[in-house]
Amino acid sequence: IAYLHKGPNHYLAKPISADDMVWSYAGVRSLYDDANASVSAMTRDYVLELQNSDGGKPPLLSVFGGKLTTYRTLAEHAMAKLVPFFPTATCAGWTDQSALPGGEEVVTVASIRQRYPFVPDAVAARWCRQYGSRIHTLLEGVDDAKGMGAEIAPGVFACELVYVRQHEWVQKGSDFLWRRTKLGLRLDDVQSKSVSDWFDKQN
C-alpha cells in the first residue's frame, strides 16, 4: 500500500494515505514449483500433468500455473492431452474462432435502446460491457420497465440478479458487487446491503 501511494504522492500537493482508500484486494499468482531457489526466477508458464493415463481409470489432468492472458493456449494444450481418451473430440486451433459468452454478436447502447427502449442508458451501457449479446437472455420475456422487476439498488434491477443467479451461478451479493461488476465501489452500504439481502432471500 505504501509503495502504491509513493508514486502519485510525488505529484500531489496533498498526499494520499491508507486513510483515503475505499477498497483493496489482493490476488494470488499460482506458480509451478520448478525447484528454482529464487521465486522471481520461477517459471510463469503453466504445466500440465496427466495421471491415470494407462487405462482402467479416468484420466486426471492437473493444471499448475497459468494466467488469464494465456487461457486459450492453455485450453488447447489441455485438450490435446485429453483427446486420446475422447476419440470424437478435436483440439486443433479451435479457440481462435470461438467467441466468449456474449461475444457472438456486437451489441451497442443504441441497438439495445432501440430493441428495449425502457432500459435506462447507463444500465444499457453497463450491460453491453458486462453481458454482450447475453442481454437478450437477461431480458427474455421482458416487454417494459415493469418487467425488469424492482430496482434493488440504483441501476440494479431484479431481472439482472435473476439472470446472474440462474446463468452465472452467483449466490451472494458480495460476489455480484465485487467480483462480477465492481458496483460495490459505487453503491453505498445501504444500497449494497439491499443487493445482498436479495440474494439471501433466494437461498
Side-chain angles (χ1 to χ4, degrees), residues 60-75:
L60 172 65
L61 180 66
S62 299
V63 179
F64 301 97
K67 54 185 180 177
L68 186 62
T69 53
T70 59
Y71 78 95
R72 286 186 185 261
T73 305
L74 191 158

Side-chain angles (χ1 to χ4, degrees), residues 34-122:
D34 59 2
N36 202 307
S38 170
V39 174
S40 62
M42 292 175 77
T43 182
R44 266 48 179 176
D45 292 334
Y46 52 82
V47 175
L48 305 176
E49 184 178 288
L50 186 65
Q51 296 173 305
N52 301 335
S53 59
D54 54 353
K57 294 181 180 178
L60 172 65
L61 180 66
S62 299
V63 179
F64 301 97
K67 54 185 180 177
L68 186 62
T69 53
T70 59
Y71 78 95
R72 286 186 185 261
T73 305
L74 191 158
E76 289 190 5
H77 289 166
M79 283 301 299
K81 290 269 191 184
L82 293 172
V83 159
F85 305 96
F86 303 95
T88 60
T90 58
C91 67
W94 58 276
T95 65
D96 64 340
Q97 299 299 319
S98 299
L100 293 173
E104 298 85 1
E105 65 178 88
V106 176
V107 292
T108 64
V109 174
S111 68
I112 294 305
R113 293 284 288 128
Q114 183 175 11
R115 185 166 173 179
Y116 311 103
F118 48 86
V119 177
D121 286 345

Side-chain angles (χ1 to χ4, degrees), residues 56-200:
K57 294 181 180 178
L60 172 65
L61 180 66
S62 299
V63 179
F64 301 97
K67 54 185 180 177
L68 186 62
T69 53
T70 59
Y71 78 95
R72 286 186 185 261
T73 305
L74 191 158
E76 289 190 5
H77 289 166
M79 283 301 299
K81 290 269 191 184
L82 293 172
V83 159
F85 305 96
F86 303 95
T88 60
T90 58
C91 67
W94 58 276
T95 65
D96 64 340
Q97 299 299 319
S98 299
L100 293 173
E104 298 85 1
E105 65 178 88
V106 176
V107 292
T108 64
V109 174
S111 68
I112 294 305
R113 293 284 288 128
Q114 183 175 11
R115 185 166 173 179
Y116 311 103
F118 48 86
V119 177
D121 286 345
V123 174
R126 181 171 68 80
W127 285 358
C128 283
R129 291 190 307 271
Q130 187 82 28
Y131 307 111
S133 62
R134 293 211 163 180
I135 291 175
H136 305 309
T137 304
L138 191 159
L139 289 171
E140 188 173 1
V142 177
D143 299 318
D144 53 28
K146 185 178 180 182
M148 293 174 65
E151 189 170 10
I152 309 301
V156 180
F157 292 87
C159 64
E160 179 181 10
L161 301 184
V162 169
Y163 169 82
V164 296
R165 187 169 184 273
Q166 291 179 347
H167 296 275
E168 298 190 1
W169 310 288
V170 178
Q171 296 296 311
K172 294 185 176 182
S174 56
D175 185 7
F176 176 78
L177 292 167
W178 294 106
R179 292 184 60 229
R180 310 303 182 103
T181 66
K182 296 297 186 285
L183 284 172
L185 291 169
R186 297 203 299 267
L187 300 179
D188 62 29
D189 291 343
V190 173
Q191 295 162 347
S192 295
K193 185 177 184 307
S194 294
V195 173
S196 293
D197 288 348
W198 186 94
F199 279 100
D200 290 343

